[in-house]
Amino acid sequence: MFTLNKGINYVTMKWYMENLKEKIDIRDVNIANYNTTELENVIKDIISNISIGNIAVTEKYVVVEGRKRIYAINAFIDGKIKFSNKYYTELSKKEFDIFNNYELGIFVG
């Protein structure tokens, strides 16, 4: 069992995938309207080690801020979008390590 503390939690993307990805609840009616380029730019920022800002969730892991960013991350991991014409599973070792070690800020309110 894992828990996130109230306030800001910094977790690696690998930790997010293993512990939180399947529990996160995006609840966004606009998901169908998300622009692929905008989603890919989130991944580009992560691979470039640029902050994408904190993701805010409730204690039940409902996303209240950062829905598009979390959706982009999940879509990339699930093979729905690409970065630099590559899916997550096709990243170079260097890109894979950068992505998996990226620190994601999760704010629990």
Side-chain angles (χ1 to χ4, degrees):
M1 179 74 182
F2 79 97
T3 58
L4 293 175
N5 298 316
K6 279 195 169 241
I8 283 272
N9 298 265
Y10 292 99
V11 301
T12 64
M13 198 63 74
K14 182 177 182 194
W15 187 94
Y16 167 79
M17 289 186 284
E18 293 172 351
N19 297 282
L20 189 58
K21 180 180 175 290
E22 299 305 320
K23 294 173 181 63
I24 205 89
D25 184 352
I26 298 174
R27 290 191 191 180
D28 191 344
V29 296
N30 297 314
I31 285 175
N33 298 326
Y34 284 170
N35 179 302
T36 302
T37 302
E38 290 176 344
L39 299 176
E40 290 172 348
N41 283 337
V42 171
I43 305 308
K44 178 182 173 188
D45 287 349
I46 291 170
I47 298 292
S48 299
N49 205 27
I50 296 172
S51 175
I52 62 167
N54 295 327
I55 308 300
V57 300
T58 66
E59 290 180 359
K60 296 190 187 242
Y61 309 118
V62 176
V63 180
V64 293
E65 175 64 36
R67 289 178 185 96
K68 189 180 292 185
R69 289 171 280 158
I70 281 294
Y71 180 80
I73 290 165
N74 290 350
F76 181 61
I77 293 165
D78 293 341
K80 295 177 183 171
I81 63 171
K82 296 179 177 184
F83 159 74
S84 195
N85 213 28
K86 291 183 264 186
Y87 291 108
Y88 172 72
T89 57
E90 300 171 332
L91 293 175
S92 69
K93 176 161 177 17
K94 180 180 178 184
E95 292 165 333
F96 188 78
D97 289 344
I98 290 169
F99 185 85
N100 286 337
N101 291 310
Y102 181 84
E103 283 200 353
L104 188 60
I106 307 281
F107 176 82
V108 180

